[in-house]
Amino acid sequence: DVKVTQSSRYLVKRTGEKVFLECVQDMDHENMFWYRQDPGLGLRLIYFSYDVKMKEKGDIPEGYSVSREKKERFSLILESASTNQTSMYLCASSLGSGQTSTDTQYFGPGTRLTVL
Amino acid sequence: AQKVTQAQTEISVVEKEDVTLDCVYETRDTTYYLFWYKQPPSGELVFLIRRNSFDEQNEISGRYSWNFQKSTSSFNFTITASQVVDSAVYFCALSGSSGNTPLVFGKGTRLSVIA
C-alpha cells in the first residue's frame, strides 16, 4: 500500500513565524503535491514537484515555498505565517513518468494549521 | 481551462437509501482522466476510482457504481443501500493528459447518512 505521511496532524503557530510542513512517501513516486483545503473552496493546489529539486507553482503559491531535496520528501514552507494561512494542508504523491501527472494521487492524513 | 462542478453541496439520506452524487466536467483535452475521492471525518482523502476518457463502461464495486457519459460530460457516483459509514465529503477530480496538468477538484459534496 502507498503510504504518505505528514509530520503533524495539528499545528498552532504565531503570526510571523516560519513554518515547515513535511511530507514523506514510501513508494518511490516521482510526483508530489501540496494542497490547502478550506470550507467552500475545496482543494487548491499550492505547489507541486515532478522530480528532485524541481518545483512548479500551482494556483495559489503566494506566501509559500517548497523544497524537494530527496525524492521521498516534499516540504512546504510558510516564510512568515499569517492568519489567512490557517487551513488544512494536504500532501499527495503519484507515480508519474517525466512530466505527466495523470497517475492516481495518494494523499496523506493532512495537517490542520492554525495561525494565531 | 479545466473545470469540475459538483452542484450538490450537501446531501442527507436515511440509511439504506440509494444516493447519486453528480459530477460535471469541462475540458478541451481529448484524453483525460476522472477520479473520485472520499474524505471521511478523519480528513484523509481516500482514492475510490480512476477512469480514462476512452473507457465509457460503467463500473461497479460492491455498493458503489459510476456512470461515465462523455455526451453530457458527467461522471456520476451512486451508492446503493447507503450506510452510516458512507458519511463523508466526496470529491470528483479531473486531469488532462498533457504535461503539467495536475488534478482539478470539484468543491465536494458532503453526504450525511442518518441511521
Side-chain angles (χ1 to χ4, degrees), chain B residues 4-54:
Chain B
V4 175
T5 301
Q6 294 180 256
Q8 303 150 308
T9 306
E10 294 191 31
I11 300 175
S12 186
V13 299
V14 177
E15 206 172 18
K16 297 184 184 176
E17 285 185 357
D18 298 347
V19 58
T20 295
L21 309 182
D22 298 333
C23 173
V24 174
Y25 62 92
E26 296 175 29
T27 181
R28 292 183 179 176
D29 291 339
T30 53
T31 301
Y32 51 90
Y33 298 80
L34 294 161
F35 302 79
W36 275 96
Y37 286 85
K38 173 183 180 180
Q39 187 178 40
S42 60
E44 182 173 346
L45 264 77
V46 177
F47 164 72
L48 295 178
I49 190 170
R50 172 181 185 245
R51 176 55 52 87
N52 75 56
S53 53
F54 295 107

Side-chain angles (χ1 to χ4, degrees), chain A residues 61-81:
Chain A
E62 297 78 20
Y64 304 94
S65 62
V66 290
S67 172
R68 192 157 181 212
E69 296 296 319
K70 293 184 178 181
K71 192 174 187 178
E72 67 271 18
R73 187 180 298 269
F74 192 35
S75 303
L76 180 69
I77 303 156
L78 286 67
E79 295 290 341
S80 178

Side-chain angles (χ1 to χ4, degrees), chain B:
Chain B
Q2 299 187 314
K3 185 179 178 182
V4 175
T5 301
Q6 294 180 256
Q8 303 150 308
T9 306
E10 294 191 31
I11 300 175
S12 186
V13 299
V14 177
E15 206 172 18
K16 297 184 184 176
E17 285 185 357
D18 298 347
V19 58
T20 295
L21 309 182
D22 298 333
C23 173
V24 174
Y25 62 92
E26 296 175 29
T27 181
R28 292 183 179 176
D29 291 339
T30 53
T31 301
Y32 51 90
Y33 298 80
L34 294 161
F35 302 79
W36 275 96
Y37 286 85
K38 173 183 180 180
Q39 187 178 40
S42 60
E44 182 173 346
L45 264 77
V46 177
F47 164 72
L48 295 178
I49 190 170
R50 172 181 185 245
R51 176 55 52 87
N52 75 56
S53 53
F54 295 107
D55 183 2
E56 286 194 73
Q57 283 193 344
N58 289 336
E59 176 96 9
I60 297 175
S61 176
R63 296 184 296 107
Y64 294 171
S65 62
W66 290 269
N67 184 344
F68 176 29
Q69 292 195 344
K70 286 177 79 170
S71 60
T72 56
S73 296
S74 65
F75 187 43
N76 296 337
F77 173 30
T78 297
I79 302 174
T80 303
S82 61
Q83 299 176 1
V84 172
V85 293
D86 295 327
S87 297
V89 181
Y90 291 86
F91 290 94
C92 180
L94 166 70
S95 178
S97 62
S98 58
N100 296 330
T101 56
L103 289 179
V104 173
F105 284 85
K107 288 188 166 52
T109 298
R110 181 178 298 278
L111 173 65
S112 298
V113 181
I114 303 164

Side-chain angles (χ1 to χ4, degrees), chain A residues 4 9 33 35 37 40-43 45 48 50 56 59 88 90 99-110, chain B residues 33 35 37 39 41-47 50 89 91 95-108:
Chain A
V4 180
R9 289 301 302 271
F33 307 83
Y35 297 87
Q37 182 180 11
L41 297 177
L43 276 80
L45 182 66
F48 57 103
Y50 289 121
E56 299 277 352
D59 300 319
M88 169 74 109
L90 291 160
Q99 290 195 340
T100 61
S101 61
T102 57
D103 297 291
T104 300
Q105 289 186 25
Y106 296 91
F107 285 79
Chain B
Y33 298 80
F35 302 79
Y37 286 85
Q39 187 178 40
S42 60
E44 182 173 346
L45 264 77
V46 177
F47 164 72
R50 172 181 185 245
V89 181
F91 290 94
S95 178
S97 62
S98 58
N100 296 330
T101 56
L103 289 179
V104 173
F105 284 85
K107 288 188 166 52

